[in-house]
Amino acid sequence: PTRSRGLGDVYKRQSFYWLVDDDDLEAHNIVDALREQSPEAAIIKQSFPVAPEGINPKLFKINQALSSCQQQYCVILDDDTRLPYPTLQGLIAALQHCSLATGLPQYRSNGNFPSALLAAFVNNNASMTYLSTLLFMDPITINGMCYAFQREEFVRWGGFQSVLHHLTDDLAVAGMVLAQEGRIRQIPDRQIIQTHLPSMGAYFRQMHRWYVFANILFAQQPLRIKALLTILHGIPPLLLAALFVAFLFAPSLLHSGIILCTLALRHCIIMQHNEQQKTGDLRAFLLSPLSELLQSLHYLHALLSRRIRWRSRIYSVRASDKFKSV
C-alpha cells in the first residue's frame, strides 16, 4: 500500500482473519460485534478446538488459517496489539527484500503499577534488543506480536507445519525462516501494545516466561554471538546494579550526584528512542531503572525454574520443542 491510494482503498483491499478458540465466548462476541460495526470490511472468523498436547496453540491456529488466505502478504498480529498504518507500510516495503519483516514493540501502560513496570522494561530495551545487534549480525529472532511474511514463500515451505511442536513461536518461526535460507528484516517502526497485568504476580509470571525463552535462544547461539549478547544486554544491568551497591557501601553527595547524572543521561537516551513518551515523566524516570535492576532477578529465576504459566496453561519447558502441560 502507498499513501497516494489513501487509507480507504487500503482498508478495502485487506482481509482480517480472527482466529479464536471454540470455548472463548468473549472472543466470539467481540468478532461478531466488529463484523456488525464494519460490514464493508472483509472480517473472517475462524474457530478452533484446543490444540493437541505438545502443539503450540498459536501456531496451531495460524497454520490452519494460512490455507484459506490468498493474499500476497500476511501479517500476524496479536489481539492486544495495534498496527499503525506507517508501520504497515514499512513491513510491506521490507518484504520486497526479505521473507519476513518484523517491527518494534511499544508498550502503553493502563495505569496500574505492574503494567507500568512491564511497559518500562519493554520500552527500555526494545530498540537495544532488536536494533543494536544489526551492526554485527542478521536478526536471530522476531517480535512475535507482529510480523509480516510472503505467503507464497511460506506455503512453499509447508506453512508452519515444521514448527508446530515448538512452544516459543517467535523463536521457532525465525529459526524456520533461517533454516530455509530466507531473510529476516528488522525495521525500526513500532506496534502499539497494551496488556493489563492485574497484580505483581502476573508481572513476575510474564517476565519469567520471557526470560525462559530468552535463555533458550541464548543457549542455541555460537560463542561469538553469546559474547556479543552478553556485552550488549547482560553487562548494562549489572553496571547499574554495581553503581547502587557502591553507593550503599560508601554513601556521599558525590556518589549521589554521579547516580543522578547517570540516571538522567540514561533516561534521556531511552526517551529519545520512544517517540510517544515524555522526557519529564517522573514515573517513567523512576520505573525505568527499577525494571533494569530487576533483570538479574528474572534471569536467575529463569535459570532455576523452567515451569511457566501461559494464559490458563502451565508448561514445563526444557527446550522450544520439548515441553509438556503440567
Side-chain angles (χ1 to χ4, degrees), residues 16-317:
F16 301 87
Y17 295 82
W18 285 80
L19 315 181
V20 300
D21 296 328
D22 288 342
D23 58 356
D24 192 342
L25 298 181
E26 184 176 4
H28 284 277
N29 292 335
I30 289 173
V31 178
D32 291 341
L34 288 172
R35 295 170 74 173
E36 291 181 5
Q37 295 170 12
S38 304
E40 73 283 2
I43 299 177
I44 300 99
K45 181 177 70 173
Q46 297 188 352
S47 184
F48 301 90
V50 175
E53 176 67 26
I55 299 296
N56 183 294
K58 183 177 178 179
L59 294 179
F60 173 71
K61 290 182 283 191
I62 293 175
N63 189 55
Q64 297 182 70
L66 184 62
S67 61
S68 60
C69 178
Q70 300 302 317
Q71 281 74 11
Q72 181 179 1
Y73 306 114
C74 297
V75 179
I76 305 299
L77 193 68
D78 278 8
D79 55 8
D80 57 0
T81 307
R82 183 169 63 84
L83 178 61
Y85 179 65
T87 304
L88 175 61
Q89 283 187 306
L91 291 172
I92 300 304
L95 286 178
Q96 312 309 310
H97 311 285
C98 65
S99 307
L100 182 148
T102 185
L104 294 176
Q106 174 78 50
Y107 264 63
R108 287 184 178 174
S109 169
N110 69 350
N112 70 356
F113 182 77
S115 299
L117 191 58
L118 182 75
F121 169 79
V122 174
N123 297 337
N124 284 357
N125 295 285
S127 297
M128 186 66 173
T129 299
Y130 291 102
L131 300 181
S132 62
T133 57
L134 298 181
L135 294 171
F136 311 101
M137 57 186 244
D138 290 332
I140 57 175
T141 187
I142 63 174
N143 168 22
M145 290 169 281
C146 177
Y147 58 93
F149 58 88
Q150 299 265 13
R151 185 188 65 85
E152 290 186 4
E153 197 163 19
F154 269 58
V155 170
R156 188 167 66 249
W157 295 342
F160 297 87
Q161 190 67 35
S162 63
V163 293
L164 289 181
H165 288 83
H166 288 250
L167 182 61
T168 50
D169 54 273
D170 47 0
L171 305 187
V173 172
M176 180 186 74
V177 172
L178 297 177
Q180 294 288 343
E181 298 186 351
R183 187 179 181 189
I184 298 172
R185 177 69 64 88
Q186 175 70 59
I187 67 172
D189 303 273
R190 299 177 184 271
Q191 303 89 48
I192 312 303
I193 304 160
Q194 185 164 3
T195 301
H196 174 66
L197 296 178
S199 65
M200 285 303 296
Y203 163 80
F204 279 106
R205 287 191 294 271
Q206 178 74 67
M207 296 301 300
H208 180 57
R209 176 161 61 90
W210 284 350
Y211 268 81
V212 167
F213 293 165
N215 285 344
I216 290 174
L217 174 64
F218 184 80
Q220 296 172 348
Q221 305 310 312
L223 182 59
R224 63 179 182 84
I225 294 182
K226 286 181 179 179
L228 177 64
L229 296 178
T230 300
I231 293 171
L232 291 177
H233 307 318
I235 291 180
L238 294 177
L239 290 176
L240 185 63
L243 192 63
F244 280 92
V245 170
F247 174 78
L248 292 177
F249 280 95
S252 68
L253 289 177
L254 175 61
H255 288 169
S256 298
I258 292 174
I259 288 178
L260 287 176
C261 290
T262 301
L263 294 181
L265 178 60
R266 175 183 175 278
H267 182 71
C268 290
I269 292 173
I270 290 174
M271 292 302 103
Q272 183 180 2
H273 294 91
N274 295 335
E275 299 173 358
Q276 299 187 15
Q277 303 225 12
K278 297 179 181 179
T279 305
D281 189 341
L282 179 60
R283 192 183 193 190
F285 179 79
L286 297 175
L287 288 180
S288 177
L290 176 60
S291 70
E292 184 153 347
L293 291 172
L294 287 172
Q295 288 190 46
S296 298
L297 178 63
H298 298 314
Y299 175 72
L300 291 175
H301 186 201
L303 287 179
L304 296 173
S305 173
R306 288 295 186 93
R307 178 174 291 194
I308 66 169
R309 180 185 293 274
W310 200 335
R311 296 190 177 181
S312 61
R313 300 182 177 95
I314 298 177
Y315 296 103
S316 177
V317 185

